[in-house]
Amino acid sequence: MDDKDEDIDTLDPSLPEEGPTAPPPGWLDTVSGYEENTGGDCPPPPDFVPKPENDKNASVPNVMVPSVSEDTARDALLQFVGKKWTYSSKPAKNLIFKELKPFTVYRYRLETFTESRSSAWESEPHTGQNVDGPQNGVSPLPWHIQVSYPPKFTDSIQKVRVPHSSFIKPCYCCHGNGKVRCTHCRGRGMTRCMFCHGSGHGRNRRCTNCHGRGRKRCLSCHGKGCKDCLTCNGQKKLMHFIQLTVTWKNQVFEFIPDRVPEFPLKKFEKVSGEAFFVDENLLVYPIQGFPDHDICDASKGAIQNHLLKYSAVSRILQQRQIIELVPLTHVYYAYSGKDYDYFVFGRENKVHTTKYPSSCSIL
């Protein structure tokens, strides 16, 4: 190997190599109350977990089954046909109704509005900003930190810096130098010419790319041999602190009894119903005495499941259970001597059909 090769491959000991991407073990200080929580969830303390009352239930008023008129059924079909370019509107305009059969469809919905908290170490370059460290007091526990709450039953995330948890240390990545050795040129500022492979010549003539030097200025560090440390942005110091993440989540359970096999239940997901029962409290209780026993069973099971599932890892702030009456009418009609049918569903009067009298095709 010639001297030129040695110059390129020799490391510059005056420049530090890039260090770890995370603080090494033992690098961070211990903050009282966060010894086991940094880097994970913070379960709520026992006094934050609501306790249900025994043998308590909710009652529901009686309701009337909704139905649609022939005019409404026809208009709904015309709107449906208008969105299908292969369908003709003539059958919808001239069909003869034979029967409109309404169904009682209930949709049960349980919402559990929860709050969970987790903490983790974070850092930022120290550029002279104020440091709120333990000299200002003891850091409050995760569930004692005040936050601004969003509207109930809406998802939201808020990040809060834990008071009095900050401290300054040299950057662990560059060892407090602010710069790290360029890995592309190994700190030399020059790289081997890719055209002549460092020889300075090719085909018995001087290399025009490196002008015979065999090396070129490193494009990665612009010939400096080093780069600003990306962890501290060249500031040499980092401010470490604990960041609390507060997550509000509306946990939802929905149930519709499958009473009409010909109608796909997934269609109900895109329409609204008429809410005739709304029960909201810190904790709601199972519905009893409702004519549809499947709704009662769904209410009891969902409430028990939500309480067990979410109170262990989060704080239940509010619950709400709703029963909706979702309109569903089976329409039977005749056209050109043949019998057909379709469904009108939801307050939006959507239409579902698997067969329509006439369609046009493009040859």
Side-chain angles (χ1 to χ4, degrees), residues 42-45 48 115-117 141-145 244 313-315:
C42 308
F48 280 63
E115 174 189 357
S116 59
R117 299 191 175 196
L141 296 174
W143 286 92
H144 292 165
I145 294 176
L244 183 72
V313 295
S314 59
R315 179 185 181 187

Side-chain angles (χ1 to χ4, degrees), residues 90-271:
K90 184 178 178 180
K93 293 177 180 178
N94 300 311
L95 62 81
I96 299 174
F97 289 107
K98 299 182 68 175
E99 182 184 3
L100 278 72
K101 185 178 179 180
F103 290 93
T104 304
V105 178
Y106 298 115
R107 174 162 55 197
Y108 174 78
R109 178 183 176 95
L110 173 66
E111 298 173 85
T112 299
F113 185 47
T114 62
E115 174 189 357
S116 59
R117 299 191 175 196
S118 62
S119 62
W121 281 107
E122 297 290 343
S123 64
E124 64 183 22
H126 183 241
T127 58
Q129 66 268 43
N130 181 54
V131 180
D132 180 17
Q135 72 278 4
N136 295 329
V138 179
S139 295
L141 296 174
W143 286 92
H144 292 165
I145 294 176
Q146 298 296 316
V147 294
S148 300
Y149 281 79
K152 289 184 294 184
F153 305 108
T154 58
D155 294 349
S156 183
I157 295 178
Q158 185 176 343
K159 295 183 182 296
V160 181
R161 188 169 300 191
V162 174
H164 318 323
S165 67
S166 302
F167 59 89
I168 304 296
K169 279 201 171 186
C171 177
Y172 56 83
C173 186
C174 65
H175 310 293
N177 287 277
K179 297 184 182 297
V180 293
R181 182 186 299 145
C182 176
T183 56
H184 190 69
C185 66
R186 300 173 179 247
R188 299 303 302 165
M190 304 291 286
T191 57
R192 192 188 309 271
C193 177
M194 300 301 295
F195 285 81
C196 65
H197 304 291
S199 66
H201 57 84
R203 295 184 179 180
N204 300 321
R205 57 169 29 175
R206 189 175 66 168
C207 178
T208 57
N209 187 59
C210 65
H211 305 289
R213 290 176 295 183
R215 297 180 297 170
K216 292 199 68 175
R217 175 176 293 187
C218 177
L219 296 177
S220 182
C221 65
H222 305 290
K224 297 178 180 178
C226 61
K227 292 182 176 181
D228 283 347
C229 174
L230 295 179
T231 302
C232 67
N233 289 342
Q235 298 298 320
K236 302 182 180 181
K237 294 181 180 180
L238 291 175
M239 181 167 71
H240 299 269
F241 56 90
I242 298 176
Q243 182 169 269
L244 183 72
T245 300
V246 186
T247 304
W248 292 277
K249 180 75 175 175
N250 192 31
Q251 317 287 352
V252 178
F253 168 83
E254 284 192 350
F255 170 75
I256 295 180
D258 190 2
R259 300 288 162 72
V260 187
E262 312 96 300
F263 185 82
L265 284 180
K266 286 188 69 68
K267 293 286 184 179
F268 285 122
E269 295 176 2
K270 299 181 179 180
V271 297

Side-chain angles (χ1 to χ4, degrees), residues 1-12 185-186 188 190 192 215:
M1 182 180 295
D2 56 26
D3 292 340
K4 191 179 294 183
D5 289 338
E6 292 178 358
D7 287 343
I8 294 174
D9 294 335
T10 301
L11 299 178
D12 185 348
C185 66
R186 300 173 179 247
R188 299 303 302 165
M190 304 291 286
R192 192 188 309 271
R215 297 180 297 170

